[in-house]
């Protein structure tokens, strides 16, 4: 089953900024991955226009996700229309079918989901995702549950990116997050987070059945799209990690 996405931030940040994100497209395609996640925060002068990046990606027939570090709801709980419009337009130029942002400061009763519905109606053709980030507000289970429950009630076409590791950084319980948010999840970000002398660090995936990323992955259907969001060093190990996920899925399907 080929449903593994490789985000550009899995690679060395200095090398990405120096060489540009397009320099990793062929590597990702050769790894056997299903798609690529372009990161707005890593776009540099070495990258061509978004339309040119799209053309490069299309040569390799990779599915495209566009990730942007913006918050959907501003501190005053209102829709972040200006930045969201910019991101959606950029995503279209890139040819991205999925666009991923953070929750921000959603407040039930104050944040207008009908306004978001109207806004998304004007940008059809892309799927908006909200990810649990590492902040205390955007990575909070209660806030995210309130948002997705409200969005479901209003038929707002938004899905969740479930980052398996970010819950540790925001001080939340992973099992509780899975229990409450699983119905809204359509995209998994897999990472292994460990405590290094009181500081959380993200490390490459290991496979023996006891790691948190595996437990999270096994809670969701095998066919769900997954991203490798952890340091891949050296970058030539990308194929190894893509194969690891695909083999884990095959085992899950046979159980």
């Amino acid at each position: 089953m080929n449903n593994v996405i490789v985000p550009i931030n899995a690679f060395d940040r200095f090398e990405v900024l120096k060489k540009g994100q397009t320099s990793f497209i062929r590597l990702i395609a050769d790894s056997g991955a299903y798609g690529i996640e372009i990161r707005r925060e890593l776009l540099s002068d070495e990258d061509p226009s978004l339309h040119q990046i799209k053309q490069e990606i299309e040569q390799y027939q990779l599915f495209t996700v566009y990730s942007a570090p913006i918050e959907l709801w501003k501190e005053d709980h209102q829709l972040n229309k200006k930045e969201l419009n910019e991101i959606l337009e950029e995503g279209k130029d890139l040819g991205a079918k999925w666009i991923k942002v953070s929750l921000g400061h959603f407040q039930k009763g104050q944040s207008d989901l009908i306004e978001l519905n109207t806004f998304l109606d004007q940008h059809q053709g892309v799927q908006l995702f909200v990810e649990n980030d590492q902040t205390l507000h955007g990575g909070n289970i209660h806030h995210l549950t309130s948002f997705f429950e409200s969005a479901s009630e209003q038929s707002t076409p938004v899905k969740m990116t479930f980052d398996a590791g970010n819950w540790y950084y925001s001080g939340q319980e992973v099992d509780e997050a899975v229990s409450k948010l699983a119905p809204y999840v359509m995209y998994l970000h897999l990472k292994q987070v460990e405590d290094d002398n009181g500081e959380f660090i993200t490390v490459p995936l290991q496979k023996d059945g006891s790691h948190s990323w595996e437990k999270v992955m096994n809670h969701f259907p095998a066919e769900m799209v997954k991203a490798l969001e952890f340091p891949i060093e050296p970058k030539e190990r990308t194929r190894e990690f893509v194969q690891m996920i695909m083999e884990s899925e095959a085992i899950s399907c046979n159980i």
Side-chain angles (χ1 to χ4, degrees):
M1 187 180 299
N2 189 351
N3 58 0
V4 181
I5 302 281
V6 180
I8 293 295
N9 63 328
F11 305 114
D12 179 75
R13 181 182 180 89
F14 177 78
E15 184 176 358
V16 172
L17 293 174
K18 181 180 180 181
K19 296 182 178 179
Q21 297 189 55
T22 52
S23 67
F24 293 86
I25 294 173
R26 181 173 180 176
L27 170 74
I28 291 171
D30 289 346
S31 75
Y34 167 64
I36 183 171
E37 184 175 303
I38 297 295
R39 308 287 295 204
R40 191 189 201 217
E41 72 273 19
L42 293 177
L43 289 171
S44 71
D45 294 337
E46 300 305 316
D47 283 303
S49 69
L50 292 173
H51 182 70
Q52 288 174 301
I53 295 176
K54 171 189 174 182
Q55 292 178 319
E56 181 79 13
I57 292 173
E58 286 179 342
Q59 288 185 40
Y60 296 96
Q61 298 181 318
L62 292 170
F63 184 83
T64 307
V65 180
Y66 187 42
S67 175
I70 73 158
E71 295 186 330
L72 185 59
W73 304 96
K74 299 185 293 184
E75 289 188 16
D76 62 2
H77 313 303
Q78 301 306 300
L79 186 64
N80 189 1
K81 290 188 288 188
K82 181 177 182 296
E83 286 193 296
L84 184 58
N85 186 65
E86 291 174 357
I87 296 308
L88 291 169
E89 290 298 329
E90 290 171 3
K92 289 180 182 178
D93 289 342
L94 185 62
K97 298 297 184 184
W98 291 3
I99 295 178
K100 180 170 69 68
V101 299
S102 296
L103 178 64
H105 302 267
F106 175 80
Q107 181 66 50
K108 187 173 182 178
Q110 295 187 44
S111 301
D112 191 347
L113 282 164
I114 295 177
E115 182 180 25
L116 177 58
N117 282 358
T118 301
F119 194 87
L120 293 177
D121 281 343
Q122 300 167 358
H123 296 272
Q124 294 187 11
V126 296
Q127 174 63 60
L128 181 66
F129 282 79
V130 170
E131 179 181 30
N132 57 296
D133 62 18
Q134 297 182 8
T135 67
L136 297 181
H137 55 278
N140 181 282
I141 294 171
H142 174 72
H143 294 169
L144 285 156
T145 302
S146 176
F147 168 70
F148 282 107
E149 286 179 347
S150 299
S152 179
E153 292 170 2
Q154 295 294 334
S155 299
T156 304
V158 61
K159 298 293 183 180
M160 182 175 184
T161 299
F162 189 101
D163 189 299
N166 281 353
W167 304 110
Y168 295 92
Y169 293 96
S170 61
Q172 304 289 286
E173 292 294 331
V174 179
D175 290 343
E176 181 184 0
V178 171
S179 175
K180 292 187 175 180
L181 294 165
Y184 314 108
V185 177
M186 194 170 153
Y187 185 28
L188 288 179
H189 265 211
L190 298 176
K191 64 175 61 159
Q192 179 66 30
V193 174
E194 296 182 356
D195 189 333
D196 182 29
N197 295 318
E199 180 180 356
F200 287 120
I201 59 171
T202 301
V203 300
L205 302 188
Q206 300 177 48
K207 182 182 176 184
D208 67 9
S210 66
H211 294 281
S212 61
W213 72 269
E214 291 179 278
K215 294 176 182 177
V216 168
M217 192 177 80
N218 291 336
H219 276 289
F220 294 94
E223 63 271 16
M224 184 169 289
V225 177
K226 304 167 182 70
L228 309 180
E229 200 187 30
F230 54 87
I232 300 178
E233 299 174 350
K235 60 181 181 292
E236 288 75 19
R237 294 189 67 192
T238 304
R239 171 178 283 275
E240 172 190 335
F241 288 116
V242 169
Q243 289 297 318
M244 177 191 294
I245 300 303
M246 293 174 67
E247 289 169 5
S248 296
E249 291 171 347
I251 292 171
S252 176
C253 286
N254 291 327
I255 293 176

